[in-house]
Amino acid sequence: MDVRLYVIPGSHPSMTARLMLEQKGIPYERTDLLPLIHKPVLKAMRFPSNTVPAMKIDGRRLQGSRRIARELDRLRPQPPLFPSDPGLRLAVEEAERFGDEDLQSPIRRIAWNALNRDVSPLRSYAEGARFRIPLDVVLKTARPVVAAAFRYNRAGDENVRHDLAALPGMLKRIDDWCEEGVLNGEQPNAADFQIAPSLRLAMTFDDLGPWIAGRPAGKLALRVVPDFPGHSPPVLPPSWLEPMREAASAPAA
Ligand SMILES: N[C@@H](CCC(=O)N[C@@H](CS)C(=O)NCC(=O)O)C(=O)O
């Protein structure tokens, strides 16, 4: 099997695809793309959309972390990414959908909002990446690239405050899935690989890390993604984190 994976370093769904390939033991080549420059590159390679992860498998093009999960299971059934029990499979698919459709974008917006306030942590997110252009040159153009990513991801303050208000509920949902055995079971499944990288990216931000570490969601993240590049010191207005504080001090239901 000839597999090449196109990623943006620090991209959480890109990490999902990397981890699933590793879990399957499928050897692959990786191409690291820069945000913004990824668009013409993917287009030139005739990928139908702009997003990473993007994968070429024996010349076929595939995008979308959930589609990639299913294709990997089809090509290499062991170890499976989905449970064989139909009821549990439905629950895992729902958690995976939530990770892709509900969790991924808020975490992406929070990350770009924070980096737009302070671009200096960007170098840490490129740790281990291999670009065609020297990293120092890349980082010199970081400011306008981050500003553009901030805009096209709609990472403005209003959206991000809304995302932060929704985060405690999402973390509770993930904790519950961990306790029910839908997530963080003996062998990681497609939902674990979908959700854990989003949590792990969030945990690179000191504004968010303390609210996630130590709870079931945080334990899942650290187990499934022991290494995730990047570290950002606190940068968000402290009042924006009030929903996290409130949720932490509320008595358990
Ligand atoms: N939800 C999809 C899309 C992933 C996605 O939006 N990836 C971001 C990087 S984290 C991206 O490619 N952004 C660039 C763009 O939208 O042009 C998936 O899981 O594959």
Side-chain angles (χ1 to χ4, degrees), residues 148-191:
F150 168 86
R151 278 195 306 275
Y152 77 70
N153 283 294
R154 299 190 164 80
D157 292 358
E158 200 184 323
N159 284 352
V160 168
R161 290 194 72 169
H162 185 266
D163 292 336
L164 287 166
L167 200 51
M170 293 205 267
L171 291 172
K172 168 81 172 73
R173 207 163 168 202
I174 297 166
D175 285 349
D176 290 347
W177 274 322
C178 290
E179 269 147 25
E180 289 159 15
V182 174
L183 295 175
N184 213 9
E186 211 169 293
Q187 187 170 281
N189 61 41

Side-chain angles (χ1 to χ4, degrees), residues 8 10-14 38-39 42 50-53 63-66 68 100-101 104-105 108 112 152-153 194:
I8 293 177
S11 145
H12 37 331
S14 297
H38 74 281
K39 293 189 194 219
L42 292 177
N50 280 333
T51 59
V52 292
Q63 279 170 298
S65 49
R66 279 195 284 167
I68 289 172
D100 184 4
E101 293 178 12
Q104 237 187 53
S105 291
R108 189 179 291 115
W112 284 120
Y152 77 70
N153 283 294
Q194 178 63 241

Side-chain angles (χ1 to χ4, degrees), residues 12-31:
H12 37 331
S14 297
M15 182 60 83
T16 298
R18 287 173 64 173
L19 293 171
M20 293 190 301
L21 281 162
E22 278 156 29
Q23 167 89 345
K24 293 282 187 187
I26 299 176
Y28 68 99
E29 301 289 333
R30 193 183 88 219
T31 299

Side-chain angles (χ1 to χ4, degrees), residues 85-100:
D85 175 83
L88 190 52
R89 179 170 180 132
L90 274 182
V92 167
E93 284 183 332
E94 169 53 16
E96 186 202 26
R97 185 213 56 77
F98 158 90
D100 184 4

